[in-house]
Amino acid sequence: MTAPISLIVGLGNPGNEYEHTRHNAGFWCLDAFAHSQRISLSPDKKFHGLAGKGHINGQECWLLKPATFMNRSGLAVAALANFYKLKPENILVIHDELDLPAGIARFKTGGGHGGQNGLRDIISQLGNNKDFHRLRIGIGHPGDKSRVTGHVLGRAPVAEEQSIRAAIDEACRVLPDVLNGEMAKAMNRLHSFKG
């Protein structure tokens, strides 16, 4: 059993122009999970984002979408975590992942930021602590480093977006297990999913 999750954070960029971009896969997943659990998110200035609290399988959990840009995501995460005295191991961060193909989602605990600016800022704001959990939503790699920015800030073709959203739907089904500390059970199901 892992520590129970008390905060789930979805990463993305605010604003209509970014809403449908691959970089917002973390927002897509958090929105889908909030909807499935009937948790409403509303602006919360002290947490620099949209926040909502719910009870999932008897476990209290906060959901958070930072209202800052991706590279300042840690501001919101640290504000809520510090306020409620949450440890990094009680936090799950959902983010887009270049190193996984579209349609694949994977859990991971700890590790570096892999060039993901949201993770980089969260690690920094949590005092260089990397021990939080991650839910990596695959968006595929464009094949060349010079094309990464355009890829993550671009919109996926319809079939690719459908694959990403299918992986998100499956991730939302297993998140309640993660909240209960049953990470291994959630991993087994999600990691065998083929979108």
Side-chain angles (χ1 to χ4, degrees):
M1 295 285 280
T2 54
I5 302 296
S6 305
L7 169 60
I8 301 178
V9 184
L11 299 189
N13 283 311
N16 292 339
E17 68 268 40
Y18 296 106
E19 191 178 342
H20 300 290
T21 65
R22 294 178 181 92
H23 217 18
N24 275 31
F27 274 6
W28 301 352
C29 187
L30 194 83
D31 285 338
F33 186 62
H35 180 76
S36 74
Q37 300 297 324
R38 295 183 179 84
I39 298 172
S40 57
L41 304 175
S42 48
D44 194 319
K45 283 201 173 87
K46 73 175 173 290
F47 299 141
H48 309 279
L50 298 169
K53 184 172 70 168
H55 286 82
I56 300 154
N57 292 351
Q59 168 84 16
E60 187 176 277
C61 184
W62 279 92
L63 305 185
L64 176 66
K65 286 170 66 176
T68 56
F69 281 96
M70 179 73 83
N71 62 352
R72 298 290 290 125
S73 299
L75 188 68
V77 177
L80 196 149
N82 291 338
F83 190 83
Y84 289 107
K85 297 179 172 52
L86 304 180
K87 296 177 179 160
E89 53 266 33
N90 303 126
I91 301 170
L92 173 73
V93 177
I94 309 172
H95 64 90
D96 58 302
E97 177 59 70
L98 284 162
D99 293 335
L100 292 174
I104 299 292
R106 294 283 182 266
F107 288 109
K108 178 182 176 182
T109 299
H113 54 71
Q116 215 283 359
N117 288 329
L119 292 182
R120 179 186 278 123
D121 193 55
I122 290 167
I123 290 167
S124 170
Q125 294 277 348
L126 293 177
N128 285 323
N129 192 314
K130 304 171 184 175
D131 294 339
F132 55 90
H133 304 281
R134 299 100 189 273
L135 171 53
R136 304 152 66 216
I137 307 293
I139 59 166
H141 197 287
D144 189 271
K145 210 168 139 181
S146 65
R147 290 166 53 203
V148 163
T149 301
H151 180 74
V152 298
L153 293 178
R155 185 169 188 166
V158 172
E160 189 182 311
E161 184 173 324
Q162 285 172 342
S163 293
I164 294 169
R165 291 194 183 271
I168 284 171
D169 286 346
E170 185 66 9
C172 288
R173 288 185 195 105
V174 303
L175 275 172
D177 290 330
V178 176
L179 292 178
N180 287 342
E182 297 183 84
M183 179 66 84
K185 179 181 175 186
M187 276 184 168
N188 287 340
R189 177 168 168 182
L190 185 61
H191 294 194
S192 61
F193 175 75
K194 302 282 186 283

